[in-house]
Amino acid sequence: YLDRAEFAKLTRILKDLRRSCQSDDGTDDQKKGTQLLEVYALEIQMYTAQKNTKKLKALYEHSLKIKSAIPHPLILGIIRECGGKMHLVEEQWSKAYEDFFEAFKSYDEAGNSKKVTCLKYLVLANMLMKSS
């Protein structure tokens, strides 16, 4: 649904997935940290496509607080790349550089071709960081 930009259907599915990662009291179940990060990565991609920076920022910061997970490098790469783009928009060059570097390492570890794009963003963030 993400590739076809069917965000209404995707939102419904994400709500169900999010509910499955919550405990009985409605809070995030830290025992399901890995699954929760996968749901967050999908939500982050959706909010990035919709250019909803307010929800993106809150979700990005929330995803970084999950410590009980051992995510796949691709999931971590997606989260960090979107964070880097968000920091670029906010003109926080050093934070963008840090996120793009982490995303590059994750994509490289996963063997994903997105590492090349991330490397370009990394160089851009480095140049902007040095210029200011």
Side-chain angles (χ1 to χ4, degrees):
Y1 295 117
L2 181 64
D3 293 336
R4 295 182 295 211
E6 295 180 24
F7 299 122
K9 290 180 182 179
L10 183 59
T11 302
R12 281 194 303 264
I13 291 171
L14 285 170
K15 281 183 184 177
D16 290 340
L17 289 171
R18 178 80 77 96
R19 230 178 283 125
S20 73
C21 294
Q22 291 178 339
S23 57
D24 294 334
D25 63 357
T27 60
D28 291 341
D29 188 355
Q30 293 303 316
K31 295 176 197 163
K32 297 180 180 178
T34 303
Q35 293 91 338
L36 200 54
L37 275 181
E38 289 179 13
V39 173
Y40 285 166
L42 194 53
E43 279 187 274
I44 285 172
Q45 287 176 302
M46 181 181 74
Y47 291 138
T48 300
Q50 293 175 327
K51 297 185 181 6
N52 188 339
T53 51
K54 185 178 180 181
K55 287 188 178 181
L56 175 64
K57 185 173 183 170
L59 194 59
Y60 169 76
E61 290 171 357
H62 196 69
S63 70
L64 292 182
K65 292 177 183 174
I66 297 175
K67 302 296 181 199
S68 64
I70 303 172
H72 189 278
L74 181 61
I75 299 301
L76 201 54
I78 290 169
I79 292 170
R80 290 298 200 153
E81 180 186 9
C82 290
K85 289 177 181 177
M86 179 186 68
H87 290 309
L88 276 182
V89 169
E90 295 173 345
E91 298 182 8
Q92 296 176 341
W93 315 129
S94 60
K95 288 182 180 180
Y97 177 85
E98 181 181 317
D99 276 340
F100 284 129
F101 182 69
E102 292 298 323
F104 172 76
K105 288 192 316 187
S106 294
Y107 284 141
D108 188 43
E109 186 178 336
N112 192 295
S113 62
K114 283 183 153 185
K115 66 183 176 187
V116 175
T117 304
C118 238
L119 187 60
K120 292 175 185 178
Y121 278 117
L122 182 64
V123 170
L124 174 66
N126 188 37
M127 290 169 56
L128 290 168
M129 194 169 62
K130 299 284 183 188
S131 70
S132 58

